[in-house]
mmCIF file of all heavy atoms in Angstrom:
data_model
loop_
_atom_site.group_PDB
_atom_site.id
_atom_site.type_symbol
_atom_site.label_atom_id
_atom_site.label_comp_id
_atom_site.label_asym_id
_atom_site.label_seq_id
_atom_site.Cartn_x
_atom_site.Cartn_y
_atom_site.Cartn_z
ATOM 1 N N HIS A 75 111.225 93.427 105.275
ATOM 2 C CA HIS A 75 110.619 92.251 104.644
ATOM 3 C C HIS A 75 109.357 91.812 105.378
ATOM 4 O O HIS A 75 108.430 91.390 104.665
ATOM 5 C CB HIS A 75 111.607 91.102 104.661
ATOM 6 C CG HIS A 75 112.662 91.204 103.576
ATOM 7 N ND1 HIS A 75 112.326 91.484 102.246
ATOM 8 C CD2 HIS A 75 113.980 91.099 103.594
ATOM 9 C CE1 HIS A 75 113.404 91.558 101.476
ATOM 10 N NE2 HIS A 75 114.485 91.304 102.373
ATOM 11 N N PHE A 76 109.296 91.978 106.661
ATOM 12 C CA PHE A 76 108.036 91.762 107.368
ATOM 13 C C PHE A 76 106.918 92.678 106.850
ATOM 14 O O PHE A 76 105.798 92.221 106.562
ATOM 15 C CB PHE A 76 108.247 92.023 108.851
ATOM 16 C CG PHE A 76 106.971 92.068 109.649
ATOM 17 C CD1 PHE A 76 106.351 90.858 110.160
ATOM 18 C CD2 PHE A 76 106.358 93.306 110.003
ATOM 19 C CE1 PHE A 76 105.153 90.931 110.889
ATOM 20 C CE2 PHE A 76 105.200 93.372 110.791
ATOM 21 C CZ PHE A 76 104.611 92.197 111.201
ATOM 22 N N GLY A 77 107.285 93.928 106.641
ATOM 23 C CA GLY A 77 106.320 94.941 106.078
ATOM 24 C C GLY A 77 105.962 94.538 104.687
ATOM 25 O O GLY A 77 104.728 94.666 104.340
ATOM 26 N N THR A 78 106.822 94.126 103.878
ATOM 27 C CA THR A 78 106.556 93.751 102.560
ATOM 28 C C THR A 78 105.565 92.476 102.481
ATOM 29 O O THR A 78 104.716 92.435 101.713
ATOM 30 C CB THR A 78 107.825 93.408 101.714
ATOM 31 O OG1 THR A 78 108.748 94.513 101.864
ATOM 32 C CG2 THR A 78 107.535 93.111 100.281
ATOM 33 N N ALA A 79 105.823 91.559 103.319
ATOM 34 C CA ALA A 79 104.975 90.377 103.388
ATOM 35 C C ALA A 79 103.531 90.734 103.718
ATOM 36 O O ALA A 79 102.585 90.237 103.098
ATOM 37 C CB ALA A 79 105.547 89.385 104.415
ATOM 38 N N ILE A 80 103.428 91.677 104.662
ATOM 39 C CA ILE A 80 102.049 92.127 105.073
ATOM 40 C C ILE A 80 101.411 92.897 103.904
ATOM 41 O O ILE A 80 100.248 92.705 103.587
ATOM 42 C CB ILE A 80 102.110 93.084 106.312
ATOM 43 C CG1 ILE A 80 102.661 92.326 107.487
ATOM 44 C CG2 ILE A 80 100.809 93.704 106.598
ATOM 45 C CD1 ILE A 80 101.820 91.140 107.955
ATOM 46 N N VAL A 81 102.081 93.719 103.189
ATOM 47 C CA VAL A 81 101.584 94.491 102.106
ATOM 48 C C VAL A 81 101.170 93.570 100.963
ATOM 49 O O VAL A 81 100.016 93.685 100.417
ATOM 50 C CB VAL A 81 102.642 95.497 101.600
ATOM 51 C CG1 VAL A 81 102.208 96.136 100.208
ATOM 52 C CG2 VAL A 81 102.837 96.660 102.539
ATOM 53 N N LEU A 82 101.977 92.559 100.628
ATOM 54 C CA LEU A 82 101.574 91.605 99.603
ATOM 55 C C LEU A 82 100.436 90.799 99.981
ATOM 56 O O LEU A 82 99.583 90.347 99.163
ATOM 57 C CB LEU A 82 102.800 90.764 99.150
ATOM 58 C CG LEU A 82 103.986 91.504 98.524
ATOM 59 C CD1 LEU A 82 105.092 90.682 98.185
ATOM 60 C CD2 LEU A 82 103.499 92.343 97.253
ATOM 61 N N ALA A 83 100.334 90.430 101.227
ATOM 62 C CA ALA A 83 99.159 89.653 101.761
ATOM 63 C C ALA A 83 97.916 90.485 101.556
ATOM 64 O O ALA A 83 96.880 89.993 101.114
ATOM 65 C CB ALA A 83 99.382 89.281 103.183
ATOM 66 N N ALA A 84 98.016 91.799 101.849
ATOM 67 C CA ALA A 84 96.860 92.671 101.647
ATOM 68 C C ALA A 84 96.502 92.739 100.183
ATOM 69 O O ALA A 84 95.272 92.784 99.812
ATOM 70 C CB ALA A 84 97.153 94.097 102.186
ATOM 71 N N LEU A 85 97.549 92.821 99.311
ATOM 72 C CA LEU A 85 97.280 92.846 97.873
ATOM 73 C C LEU A 85 96.536 91.542 97.445
ATOM 74 O O LEU A 85 95.638 91.569 96.701
ATOM 75 C CB LEU A 85 98.576 93.032 97.167
ATOM 76 C CG LEU A 85 98.541 92.904 95.635
ATOM 77 C CD1 LEU A 85 97.657 94.129 95.074
ATOM 78 C CD2 LEU A 85 99.956 92.980 95.046
ATOM 79 N N ALA A 86 97.141 90.397 97.775
ATOM 80 C CA ALA A 86 96.512 89.145 97.379
ATOM 81 C C ALA A 86 95.105 88.956 97.897
ATOM 82 O O ALA A 86 94.244 88.445 97.261
ATOM 83 C CB ALA A 86 97.411 87.958 97.832
#
Side-chain angles (χ1 to χ4, degrees):
H75 280 311
F76 169 83
T78 305
I80 296 299
V81 169
L82 294 180
L85 174 64

